[in-house]
Amino acid sequence: MTSPDALEKPAETHYPNSALYRNCIRCGLCLAVCPTYRDSLKETASPRGRVALARKGLEGQLELTPNLIEQMYSCFACMACDDICPVGIQPAELATAMRYVQEQREPARWKKTLFENLIPHPGRMEAATLPLRLYQNLGVRRLVYVLGLTRLLPKQIRDMEAMLPHLPQRPLRQGLPELTQAHRQAKFRVGFFLGCAQSLLFAEQSAATVRVLSRNGCTVITPKDVECCGMPALGYGRLDLVQAQAKHNIAIFEETDLDVIVTDCATCGSTLKEYGAYLKDDAEWAGR
């Protein structure tokens, strides 16, 4: 990442490379694939609009105000605009990079609490979700539905409660062995990256993944010390934390001789594949 010449900037602040925004030809192809633009039909809610706002902010024509940065948070990061752009502009990546700019200039305390002190620590995440497991596994949830108490909840909380999946008795990280031997002859050594949500919410699915790998001739190693893949922190502009988590996870898997690393979490998979890009400017870690 490079620093725009026109912007007065705090020392050590990292800015998006100008290739992410200077070549936009405003053709409008990105508008057709952008869900936020289709919903609002506002230029500022489109990839093209975000690119224009980011460029003006980075080149000093607009102030980098919280309102401008808020436009970057309206992006879903679905990457459809990145794929369709005929000149290689990456509006979704630019929106994420602009969030990082804001965090470097005016860090938010709640993000430090959430993304530094909670999410990277599996034990703390398990403790934080314990009330949800008790709510469901002790029958409280069923009683709430029988009595119709969900009607008393605010609409947003009611919607979130309705989406709560069936939770395991305990997180999978606590019960899944670090080494699962292959059935019959071992053909591959596979590292299994157990994601946060998979361990806490979808334990049965990930346990099934390990069984399928084992039955297909894979010796499966599931390190218990891996941290969050980094996607939550990335989405809220903490690229520094993503890089730290990437280094931690790389070091963990380097300790074992593996043929491949597998995850059954789509978010983790997409993030792990980008570790090379996040660490490309770090001479020590780029190759690793």
Side-chain angles (χ1 to χ4, degrees):
M1 302 178 81
T2 58
S3 171
D5 297 333
L7 187 68
E8 292 186 8
K9 54 197 179 299
E12 302 301 325
T13 301
H14 296 278
Y15 290 86
N17 191 295
S18 61
L20 289 177
Y21 55 84
R22 280 189 175 163
N23 296 325
C24 179
I25 59 175
R26 301 175 178 84
C27 64
L29 283 176
C30 58
L31 305 185
V33 298
C34 178
T36 58
Y37 177 75
R38 289 202 304 266
D39 182 64
S40 68
L41 298 181
K42 294 180 179 179
E43 182 71 10
T44 52
S46 72
R48 183 175 64 183
R50 294 187 193 103
V51 170
L53 286 173
R55 178 172 182 173
K56 289 182 180 296
L58 292 169
E59 294 184 347
Q61 299 177 51
L62 289 175
E63 292 186 29
L64 289 175
T65 62
N67 182 57
L68 187 150
I69 299 299
E70 188 63 30
Q71 299 296 336
M72 305 303 155
Y73 276 98
S74 70
C75 172
F76 288 169
C78 67
M79 308 298 180
C81 54
D82 290 1
D83 291 337
I84 203 171
C85 180
V87 295
I89 294 291
Q90 297 178 299
E93 183 177 338
L94 177 62
T96 302
M98 290 299 292
R99 300 172 195 178
Y100 182 40
V101 170
Q102 176 70 3
E103 282 305 304
Q104 293 173 93
R105 296 167 67 89
E106 299 179 26
R109 291 184 179 180
W110 69 267
K111 294 180 184 178
K112 177 180 177 65
T113 300
L114 184 61
F115 298 120
E116 289 188 43
N117 300 328
L118 178 61
I119 291 180
H121 306 281
R124 296 178 188 177
M125 287 287 287
E126 291 169 5
T129 54
L130 176 60
L132 289 178
R133 293 196 297 276
L134 295 176
Y135 168 69
Q136 188 173 89
N137 295 324
L138 294 180
V140 178
R141 187 184 194 190
R142 177 176 295 183
L143 182 62
V144 166
Y145 273 84
V146 169
L147 298 178
L149 297 180
T150 55
R151 292 175 297 180
L152 304 178
L153 299 174
K155 184 179 185 303
Q156 186 174 8
I157 300 297
R158 187 167 65 247
D159 291 343
M160 293 173 64
E161 197 282 339
M163 292 187 291
L164 186 67
H166 176 72
L167 301 179
Q169 293 286 341
R170 62 173 179 165
L172 183 59
R173 190 180 73 95
Q174 297 180 4
L176 187 66
E178 289 203 14
L179 177 64
T180 303
Q181 296 289 355
H183 282 222
R184 302 184 180 90
Q185 183 180 0
K187 302 176 183 177
F188 305 101
R189 284 178 60 85
V190 173
F192 182 61
F193 187 93
L194 179 61
C196 306
Q198 298 301 107
S199 175
L200 296 169
L201 304 177
F202 305 108
E204 293 181 5
Q205 289 84 341
S206 285
T209 298
V210 173
R211 290 197 301 271
V212 169
L213 289 169
S214 175
R215 290 173 183 174
N216 282 275
C218 299
T219 298
V220 184
I221 295 90
T222 309
K224 299 296 182 67
D225 295 331
V226 296
E227 293 183 354
C228 171
C229 66
M231 177 55 78
L234 179 67
Y236 282 91
R238 291 300 305 270
L239 179 60
D240 56 324
L241 291 181
V242 181
Q243 293 168 334
Q245 290 164 345
K247 292 176 182 179
H248 173 86
N249 291 330
I250 289 170
I252 291 294
F253 280 104
E254 280 180 338
E255 296 177 359
T256 56
D257 182 23
L258 301 173
D259 296 305
V260 67
I261 296 174
V262 170
T263 181
D264 58 357
C265 173
T267 300
C268 292
S270 64
T271 307
L272 294 175
K273 290 177 182 178
E274 295 299 318
Y275 276 2
Y278 301 145
L279 299 173
K280 67 180 186 298
D281 296 326
D282 191 312
E284 178 185 355
W285 289 89
R288 297 170 66 179

